[in-house]
């Protein structure tokens, strides 16, 4: 539910110039998602949305995703990823993750917990996870973020 709402919020702010929480609530309700102001406020914080100028002449602002922060890997999820994932690869818009035996479920739960709107869904077996992304570019970005998190772990262990 939350992941779907987050995905819809990102879709709305990319498609429309949304200036206020009330406008965002109206768009969400128009899409069949009943929300409260408190929920939208938390979603804005969770998604780390920022306000940017619509254009220089009007002085109006709109919500936008923070640049360069497509995937937010919190410390909790970063630790799970570092402890479970051993290999990251992709094929088109599918990301394939290899984990230690029996650890795929934990890693998939961490990935799902990131609430990244570009993730369509994930399937976890014993030591392999398939993550379906919306676009190839999103898959490549996701792979790089995960590899970066794993490289940082290797450097810290030295």
């Amino acid at each position: 539910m939350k992941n779907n709402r987050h995905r819809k919020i990102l879709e709305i702010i990319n498609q429309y110039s949304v200036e206020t929480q009330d406008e965002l609530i109206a768009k969400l309700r128009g899409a069949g998602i009943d929300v409260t102001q408190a929920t939208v406020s938390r979603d804005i914080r969770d998604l780390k949305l920022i306000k940017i100028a619509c254009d220089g002449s009007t002085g109006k602002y709109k919500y936008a995703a923070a640049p360069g922060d497509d995937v937010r890997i919190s410390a909790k999820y970063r630790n799970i990823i570092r402890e479970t994932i051993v290999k990251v690869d992709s094929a088109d818009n599918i990301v394939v993750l290899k984990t230690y035996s029996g650890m795929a479920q934990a890693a998939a739960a961490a990935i799902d917990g990131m609430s990244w709107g570009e993730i369509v869904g994930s399937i976890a077996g014993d030591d392999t996870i398939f993550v379906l992304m919306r676009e190839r570019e999103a898959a490549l970005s996701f792979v790089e973020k995960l590899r970066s998190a794993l490289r940082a772990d290797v450097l810290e262990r030295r």
Side-chain angles (χ1 to χ4, degrees):
M1 182 89 128
K2 182 177 176 181
N3 288 344
N4 291 337
R5 192 175 61 247
H6 282 188
R7 186 172 19 261
K8 191 62 174 177
I9 288 170
L10 292 171
E11 181 181 308
I12 288 169
I13 66 169
N14 284 327
Q15 189 173 4
Y16 303 101
S17 292
V18 178
E19 292 182 66
T20 66
Q21 289 184 11
D22 289 336
E23 286 179 48
L24 185 54
I25 290 167
K27 296 276 187 203
L28 286 167
R29 288 182 178 160
I33 301 173
D34 191 29
V35 293
T36 65
Q37 186 276 329
T39 298
V40 168
S41 181
R42 275 191 304 275
D43 289 341
I44 288 169
R45 185 189 66 232
D46 291 347
L47 291 168
K48 298 181 182 174
L49 300 183
I50 60 172
K51 284 228 175 166
I52 61 170
C54 290
D55 64 48
S57 62
T58 65
K60 293 185 177 187
Y61 289 85
K62 66 179 182 175
Y63 284 107
D69 200 20
D70 294 331
V71 178
R72 290 170 279 291
I73 304 178
S74 71
K76 173 174 71 172
Y77 297 136
R78 184 180 311 274
N79 289 337
I80 293 170
I81 287 166
R82 287 178 177 175
E83 296 297 321
T84 59
I85 296 175
V86 294
K87 184 178 178 192
V88 179
D89 205 350
S90 68
D92 199 28
N93 66 327
I94 299 172
V95 176
V96 180
L97 308 171
K98 295 297 284 181
T99 69
Y100 292 107
S101 183
M103 299 305 293
Q105 295 290 325
I111 289 165
D112 290 343
M114 285 189 251
S115 301
W116 194 30
E118 291 297 313
I119 296 175
V120 177
S122 64
I123 299 172
D126 181 59
D127 66 353
T128 304
I129 305 167
F130 289 121
V131 182
L132 181 62
M133 308 299 292
R134 295 199 181 283
E135 298 176 357
R136 181 178 191 273
E137 293 75 25
L140 295 173
S141 174
F142 188 63
V143 164
E144 185 50 42
K145 293 279 185 180
L146 291 174
R147 285 182 178 160
S148 179
L150 293 172
R151 276 193 304 270
D153 183 47
V154 170
L155 294 174
E156 287 175 7
R157 289 182 185 176
R158 287 185 180 170

